[in-house]
């Protein structure tokens, strides 16, 4: 893989240096005083806990934040700690986005909050798990499941921590599957607009998600950085998992083919084309290369027959088993059952001191989806074993030494 590292133009570097000396502030950044919460009388910022720092800390102290550590990204069948899990991914998104935001003069606390919260509603078993939950929910209710919408639901409804609109909007609009060359914020959103966008996604799925536009430059930066963080990292993991050879030839030339060059060159391109603007822009060449890189990842990694056959033949029927077993428990209203003891009561207790939803009145399929989406890979596997002892569906993990 060729390692090609670009740098900012001398002209822009000089301008940025001068702007820093003159204490330039980006007029398009989201200011702390612009924060919008559902309850503006709570979470008043102070010197040691500024506005969006409070959101960062709320997210990091949620029980579901712990679960990032055992949710896999792409490679779910490996006992190998060198393969990326979602905990590392959100940190990488945060780090890359903060690097860009620092140069552009954006609100770094807002960027960090969006980045750390953006996948908190993601399913076990990566996008395959997301797809299986979507199919089940759609079949039973006609409604759709998408991880970005679920992440916003976790922060805003399931735990009701009074997270700001700017963070919820960035989380909802982050979906890294839909790349763009230009990201122009949709300023002046309200909670009414946010709630309508959430409902539209629940009804229309991907069609509505494609139309989402973040309300802040910070949200726009996190959205593109979600993709920057996984394109090259997934290639590294594919090499570790022996899905591709270390010398596999990728054709992206402008941004490079390896993780380090992809990150550096896209960061440089975004800064070069976005500095001083009220939108985020990639050059035509870098955008074309990014699309190429993503397409090639799909061909050789994400659509790999060996990986997908395990998802389809083992994980999918396990999702069906668990989904309908939990739904049956819920419909029977058996408060000694697993879904009550380990999910319903957990959410109710977490909402005890917050102005949240009456969780017992939520639609039963939605409650089941909430529970499954919250699980780590290992939790899901253990639950399936408990519900279906002796099942023919077994996962054989590939060890370090194979």
């Amino acid at each position: 893989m060729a390692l090609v590292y670009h740098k900012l133009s001398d002209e822009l570097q000089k301008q940025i240096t001068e702007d820093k000396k003159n204490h330039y502030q980006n007029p398009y950044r989201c200011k702390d005083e612009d924060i919008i919460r559902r309850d503006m009388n709570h979470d008043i910022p102070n010197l040691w806990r500024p506005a969006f720092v409070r959101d960062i800390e709320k997210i990091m102290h949620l029980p579901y934040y712990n679960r990032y550590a055992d949710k896999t990204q792409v490679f779910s069948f490996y006992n190998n700690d060198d393969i990326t899990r979602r905990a590392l991914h959100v940190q990488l998104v945060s780090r890359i986005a903060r690097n860009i935001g620092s140069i552009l003069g954006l609100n770094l606390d807002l960027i960090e909050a969006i980045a750390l919260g953006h996948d908190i509603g993601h399913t076990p078993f990566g996008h395959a798990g997301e797809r299986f939950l979507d199919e089940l929910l759609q079949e039973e209710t006609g409604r759709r499941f998408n991880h970005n919408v679920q992440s916003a639901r976790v922060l805003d409804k399931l735990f009701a921590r009074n997270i700001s609109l700017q963070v919820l909007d960035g989380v909802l609009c982050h979906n890294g599957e839909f790349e763009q060359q230009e990201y122009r914020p949709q300023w002046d959103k309200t909670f009414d607009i946010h709630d309508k966008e959430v409902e539209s996604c629940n009804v229309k799925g991907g069609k509505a998600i494609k139309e989402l536009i973040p309300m802040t430059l910070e949200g726009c930066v996190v959205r593109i950085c979600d993709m920057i963080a996984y394109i090259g990292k997934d290639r590294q993991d594919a090499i570790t998992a022996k899905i591709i050879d270390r010398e596999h030839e990728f054709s992206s030339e402008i941004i490079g083919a390896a993780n380090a060059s992809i990150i550096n060159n896209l960061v440089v391109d975004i800064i070069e084309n976005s500095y001083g603007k009220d939108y985020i822009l990639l050059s035509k060449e870098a955008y074309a290369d990014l699309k190429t890189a993503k397409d090639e990842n799909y061909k050789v990694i994400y659509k790999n027959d060996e990986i997908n056959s395990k998802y389809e033949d083992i994980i999918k029927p396990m999702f069906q088993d668990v989904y309908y077993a939990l739904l049956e428990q819920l419909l029977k209203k058996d408060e000694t059952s697993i879904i009550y003891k380990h999910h319903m009561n957990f959410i109710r207790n977490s909402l005890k001191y917050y102005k949240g939803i009456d969780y017992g009145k939520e639609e039963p399929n939605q409650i089941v989806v909430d529970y499954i989406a919250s699980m780590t890979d290992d939790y899901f596997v253990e639950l399936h074993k408990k519900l279906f002892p002796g099942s023919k569906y077994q996962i054989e993990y590939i060890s370090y030494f194979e």
Side-chain angles (χ1 to χ4, degrees), residues 221-322:
V221 168
V222 172
R223 178 163 166 168
I224 185 61
C225 288
D226 184 28
M227 192 175 301
I228 296 172
Y230 75 68
I231 291 289
K233 195 64 175 160
D234 288 351
R235 292 178 179 183
Q236 283 186 340
D237 289 342
I239 293 169
T240 302
K242 300 178 182 178
I243 299 297
I244 60 174
D245 187 85
R246 186 172 297 277
E247 303 306 319
H248 183 91
E249 290 291 334
F250 289 99
S251 59
S252 48
E253 297 180 356
I254 302 297
I255 65 173
N259 189 41
S261 57
I262 289 171
I263 293 172
N264 177 81
N265 295 338
L266 283 171
V267 167
V268 167
D269 190 86
I270 289 168
I271 294 171
E272 189 74 48
N273 291 281
S274 306
Y275 190 80
K277 296 183 173 70
D278 63 351
Y279 57 94
I280 303 301
L281 179 68
L282 286 81
S283 67
K284 290 180 180 179
E285 296 80 8
Y287 176 63
D289 240 14
L290 176 60
K291 287 175 66 68
T292 297
K294 182 184 167 188
D295 290 344
E296 290 184 332
N297 274 22
Y298 267 93
K299 289 176 183 177
V300 301
I301 301 174
Y302 311 140
K303 292 185 177 180
N304 178 276
D305 290 339
E306 182 181 350
I307 295 173
N308 286 319
S309 63
K310 291 182 180 179
Y311 284 129
E312 292 293 329
D313 298 341
I314 301 173
I315 302 302
K316 184 174 183 177
M318 289 173 71
F319 262 72
Q320 294 169 337
D321 286 347
V322 170

Side-chain angles (χ1 to χ4, degrees), residues 73-241:
Q73 285 281 106
V74 177
F75 303 96
S76 299
F77 308 105
Y78 294 81
N79 282 330
N80 190 329
D81 293 331
D82 294 330
I83 291 177
T84 304
R85 284 172 168 73
R86 209 154 289 279
L88 176 58
H89 170 70
V90 299
Q91 290 174 327
L92 291 173
V93 174
S94 178
R95 183 65 265 162
I96 297 166
R98 282 171 60 89
N99 285 348
I100 294 172
S102 176
I103 298 298
L104 298 185
L106 302 181
N107 191 318
L108 301 188
D109 292 335
L110 174 54
I111 284 175
E112 184 174 3
I114 296 170
L116 295 184
H118 83 274
D119 271 353
I120 205 161
H122 215 301
T123 59
F125 298 99
H127 287 291
E130 179 180 19
R131 184 171 71 252
F132 301 149
L133 264 193
D134 179 45
E135 291 170 358
L136 289 163
L137 182 63
Q138 189 176 7
E139 182 176 340
E140 291 301 313
T141 68
R143 293 169 72 77
R144 308 300 301 269
F145 176 88
N146 284 278
H147 79 274
N148 56 312
V149 185
Q150 185 68 14
S151 293
R153 174 175 168 80
V154 166
L155 298 174
D156 192 35
K157 303 297 183 185
L158 295 191
F159 291 95
R161 294 302 196 261
N162 201 29
I163 299 293
S164 68
L165 174 62
Q166 288 89 344
V167 171
L168 293 174
D169 172 78
V171 167
L172 178 68
C173 298
H174 87 263
N175 202 318
E177 296 303 299
F178 304 105
E179 70 276 2
Q180 296 175 247
Q181 182 186 350
E182 181 178 297
Y183 297 84
R184 288 184 177 269
Q186 183 180 324
W187 313 100
D188 300 326
K189 283 190 185 180
T190 63
F191 268 111
D192 284 343
I193 292 172
H194 173 78
D195 293 340
K196 288 176 183 177
E197 288 181 335
V198 168
E199 181 59 20
S200 180
C201 293
N202 286 330
V203 173
K204 299 178 183 178
K207 292 180 181 178
I209 291 172
K210 286 182 180 179
E211 297 174 358
L212 292 175
I213 302 169
M215 67 181 290
T216 63
L217 279 174
E218 289 81 1
C220 292
V221 168
V222 172
R223 178 163 166 168
I224 185 61
C225 288
D226 184 28
M227 192 175 301
I228 296 172
Y230 75 68
I231 291 289
K233 195 64 175 160
D234 288 351
R235 292 178 179 183
Q236 283 186 340
D237 289 342
I239 293 169
T240 302

Side-chain angles (χ1 to χ4, degrees), residues 47-70:
L47 286 175
W48 58 96
R49 292 187 71 209
F52 293 109
V53 168
R54 289 173 174 265
D55 284 355
I56 294 169
E57 293 175 352
K58 287 169 182 286
I59 291 167
M60 294 185 73
H61 286 290
L62 287 181
Y64 285 7
Y65 190 85
N66 291 6
R67 303 186 188 187
Y68 275 139
D70 190 40

Side-chain angles (χ1 to χ4, degrees), residues 12-30:
L12 183 58
Q13 289 193 58
K14 183 178 179 180
Q15 180 183 345
I16 293 172
T17 301
E18 287 298 315
D19 286 345
K20 285 182 176 294
K21 287 181 180 178
N22 295 323
H23 305 290
Y24 166 81
Q25 288 196 339
N26 188 334
Y28 308 114
R29 73 193 298 270
C30 180

